[in-house]
Amino acid sequence: MATRFKTNFKTAYQCRECGSTCYQPVIDRAPCGALLPNGQYRCAGCRTIFTDVQSWLAPRQGLARQHQSMPS
């Protein structure tokens, strides 16, 4: 039985929606029939599709403002 280890560190490289630290290229079938990456990425956690890795990392504008205005 595999044991899943919980890390004790935080990373800045995580999905803005769900916090997953993994993404994968989206694979589509080309007109010739081959399976090829289409230039987009999919979060491994919430399955949201992004056009580039920077948008996967970047917090949404509404959430960034909301976190700044909330009292600690």
Side-chain angles (χ1 to χ4, degrees):
M1 183 161 92
T3 303
R4 188 170 189 143
F5 294 99
K6 186 170 182 171
T7 58
N8 60 356
F9 60 89
K10 291 186 179 184
T11 179
Y13 300 103
Q14 61 187 13
C15 176
R16 66 180 183 190
E17 299 291 330
C18 70
S20 173
T21 56
C22 301
Y23 62 89
Q24 52 194 248
V26 175
I27 306 296
D28 280 337
R29 190 167 301 278
C32 67
L35 293 172
L36 300 170
N38 70 2
Q40 296 178 325
Y41 300 93
R42 178 181 291 127
C43 176
C46 63
R47 312 299 284 170
T48 302
I49 295 179
F50 300 94
T51 55
D52 59 24
V53 176
Q54 292 303 322
S55 63
W56 180 74
L57 297 170
R60 287 190 290 177
Q61 296 300 331
L63 290 177
R65 276 187 251 126
Q66 182 182 9
H67 288 303
Q68 289 174 356
S69 64
M70 293 177 65
S72 298

